[in-house]
């Protein structure tokens, strides 16, 4: 038992050290920010949360040249199209769903480079999901009924997208992630590409994320909320929340996206 406990402690310490290198703020501070943000969003009956500079821009600047070097988009043809685009060719898939959806040749080398960031995102998603799905401040697992459990997640799909002003590449218009078949997702804004061209050339105009979430008190329609996301900004998105990556008119904009399945172990 003591060996098992020491192994668990070692894993926990490794996770904390990893997160502190990648996060912009210490884990405990970010955890409080997530909790406060979820509370505000719940009061507005919203199921998404954007945390500015959750991921360290400095860390992303160090990682990004490797992403640029390995980025190799796969051409994917979606049945019926994705946000009205039938042939999607601006994303590089690192992890794909069982059965090879949407492609059968994920970029394993890029996955290896990004793995520490992805594993940090897994931990952040669990923190957010527990808060988002706790009922009126009660824990996700009921202590009154002697039900204890560990919330785990599986990354169903991971990809990096490069938006450009070219037709069909400017945006990913209003959509639901995974056609509503995923439990939640994360979107991270990546740095402006200052390595393959100057900042002036590759700086983008437009972009950001828009959500249709909650309810407009005047019209009773979903409330439209826009975020001008920049490097390190992280969006948590709950199941079946409508949103879009807004069009850019200049430069290039990069984003990392993860689709999740939530697993509860009792």
């Amino acid at each position: 038992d003591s060996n098992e406990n020491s192994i668990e402690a070692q894993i926990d310490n490794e996770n904390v050290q990893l997160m502190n290198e990648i996060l912009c703020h210490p884990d405990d501070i970010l955890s409080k920010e997530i909790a406060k943000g979820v509370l505000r969003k719940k009061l507005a009956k919203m199921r998404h949360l954007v945390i500015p500079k959750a991921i360290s821009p400095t860390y992303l600047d160090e990682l990004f040249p490797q992403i640029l070097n390995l980025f190799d988009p796969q051409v994917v043809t979606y049945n019926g199209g994705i946000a009205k685009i039938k042939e999607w060719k601006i994303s590089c898939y690192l992890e794909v769903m069982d059965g090879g959806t949407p492609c059968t040749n994920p970029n394993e080398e890029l996955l290896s480079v990004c793995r520490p960031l992805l594993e940090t995102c897994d931990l952040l998603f669990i923190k957010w999901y527990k808060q988002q799905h706790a009922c009126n401040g009660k824990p996700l697992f009921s202590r009154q009924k002697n039900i204890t459990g560990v919330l785990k997640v599986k990354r169903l799909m991971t990809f990096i997208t490069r938006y450009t002003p070219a037709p069909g590449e400017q945006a990913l218009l209003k959509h639901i992630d995974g056609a509503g078949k995923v439990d939640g997702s994360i979107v991270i804004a990546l740095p402006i590409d200052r390595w393959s061209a100057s900042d002036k050339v590759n700086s983008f105009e437009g972009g950001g994320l828009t959500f249709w979430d909650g309810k407009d008190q005047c019209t009773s329609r979903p409330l439209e909320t826009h975020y001008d996301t920049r490097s390190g900004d992280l969006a948590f998105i709950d199941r079946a929340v409508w949103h879009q990556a807004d069009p850019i008119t200049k430069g290039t904009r990069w984003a990392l996206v993860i689709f999740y399945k939530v697993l509860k172990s009792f």
Side-chain angles (χ1 to χ4, degrees):
D1 290 342
S2 60
N3 287 338
E4 289 182 3
N5 290 336
S6 64
I7 291 171
E8 289 180 2
Q10 182 180 356
I11 291 172
D12 288 341
N13 288 335
E14 287 175 355
N15 283 339
V16 169
Q17 183 178 357
L18 175 70
M19 292 181 75
N20 286 339
E21 291 175 1
I22 294 174
L23 300 178
C24 197
H25 303 289
D27 176 44
D28 57 339
I29 293 177
L30 187 56
S31 295
K32 291 177 182 177
E33 191 172 349
I34 290 172
K36 290 178 181 178
V38 168
L39 179 59
R40 288 194 301 269
K41 291 296 184 179
K42 278 188 171 182
L43 291 172
K45 301 189 183 303
M46 291 183 174
R47 297 185 299 115
H48 77 276
L49 177 65
V50 176
I51 302 288
K53 301 291 182 290
I55 306 298
S56 165
T58 301
Y59 172 82
L60 293 176
D61 280 351
E62 294 171 355
L63 178 65
F64 199 67
Q66 298 177 74
I67 292 177
L68 282 173
N69 184 50
L70 296 170
F71 183 78
D72 186 16
Q74 300 98 330
V75 178
V76 175
T77 302
Y78 285 95
N79 184 23
I82 175 171
K84 301 181 180 179
I85 300 174
K86 288 188 177 181
E87 191 175 73
W88 187 254
K89 53 185 179 181
I90 62 172
S91 294
C92 182
Y93 294 86
L94 287 63
E95 296 173 302
V96 298
M97 292 185 179
D98 294 341
T101 302
C103 68
T104 57
N105 58 330
N107 190 322
E108 295 183 1
E109 195 172 356
L110 186 51
L111 171 63
S112 178
V113 164
C114 294
R115 192 178 298 279
L117 175 58
L118 302 184
E119 291 177 352
T120 299
C121 288
D122 297 346
L123 298 172
L124 292 178
F125 183 85
I126 289 171
K127 289 175 184 288
W128 169 80
Y129 191 91
K130 283 182 177 179
Q131 295 283 344
Q132 181 64 40
H133 289 268
C135 182
N136 297 323
K138 296 178 182 177
L140 195 61
F141 302 101
S142 174
R143 292 177 184 151
Q144 294 179 347
K145 297 180 181 179
N146 295 320
I147 298 175
T148 59
V150 176
L151 187 67
K152 297 182 179 180
V153 295
K154 177 182 179 182
R155 296 192 302 271
L156 293 177
M157 188 187 300
T158 304
F159 55 96
I160 293 173
T161 300
R162 176 187 58 196
Y163 297 100
T164 80
E169 299 183 4
Q170 311 101 318
L172 182 52
L173 298 179
K174 192 174 181 181
H175 66 283
I176 290 173
D177 284 339
K181 296 178 182 177
V182 303
D183 291 320
S185 53
I186 272 180
V187 180
I188 299 173
L190 297 177
I192 292 170
D193 176 10
R194 303 187 300 276
W195 292 267
S196 60
S198 69
D199 197 336
K200 183 177 181 180
V201 170
N202 277 338
S203 291
F204 62 85
E205 294 178 359
L209 295 173
T210 295
F211 290 85
W212 289 265
D213 191 15
K215 185 179 287 188
D216 189 310
Q217 297 296 328
C218 298
T219 65
S220 294
R221 300 179 65 180
L223 190 65
E224 183 176 317
T225 308
H226 173 75
Y227 300 89
D228 181 21
T229 53
R230 298 289 164 169
S231 182
D233 294 356
L234 186 151
F236 299 102
I237 308 172
D238 207 2
R239 181 186 182 97
V241 172
W242 288 96
H243 63 284
Q244 76 175 23
D246 296 322
I248 66 169
T249 56
K250 174 190 173 295
T252 57
R253 188 172 84 84
W254 295 74
L256 169 66
V257 181
I258 309 170
F259 292 174
Y260 284 104
K261 180 177 179 61
V262 173
L263 310 168
K264 299 185 184 76
S265 299
F266 295 97

